[in-house]
Amino acid sequence: MIVACAVSICGIIGWVGLLVPHIARLLCGSENTRLIPLTTVLGAVFLVVIDSLSRTLASEQIPISILTSLVGAPFFIYILRKNTRN
């Protein structure tokens, strides 16, 4: 519930709160001593990469929300389908 509230408030980069913890959990499992630091680092790296792409892909800056949605929506659909099969 707390994560859902945080994602709804941050809005334009809301996919980070949904996408990055799932990726981190796929990489290191569910042990919190490794999961929380990895999630923090992956979130920072993800936003730096997306911000760099938004500034360099076009002559004008593309909004970060568009790029995070282009990455986040397909991955989120993949996670949902994977969970419904199991």
Side-chain angles (χ1 to χ4, degrees):
M1 186 63 114
I2 293 171
V3 172
C5 290
V7 168
S8 70
I9 290 171
C10 70
I12 64 169
I13 56 171
W15 285 106
V16 177
L18 293 171
L19 179 71
V20 173
H22 286 293
I23 292 172
R25 186 158 297 180
L26 289 172
L27 292 175
C28 75
S30 61
E31 185 179 336
N32 285 337
T33 57
R34 287 187 279 157
L35 181 64
I36 293 172
L38 182 62
T39 301
T40 305
V41 170
L42 283 178
V45 169
F46 179 73
L47 282 178
V48 167
V49 168
I50 292 295
D51 185 51
S52 297
L53 287 174
S54 74
R55 294 172 191 260
T56 59
L57 285 178
S59 61
E60 300 220 5
Q61 184 174 353
I62 301 170
I64 292 175
S65 61
I66 292 173
L67 292 178
T68 56
S69 296
L70 287 174
V71 173
F75 186 77
F76 196 63
I77 291 169
Y78 165 74
I79 292 291
L80 286 174
R81 287 191 178 187
K82 181 180 170 188
N83 287 340
T84 57
R85 290 181 190 161
N86 293 335

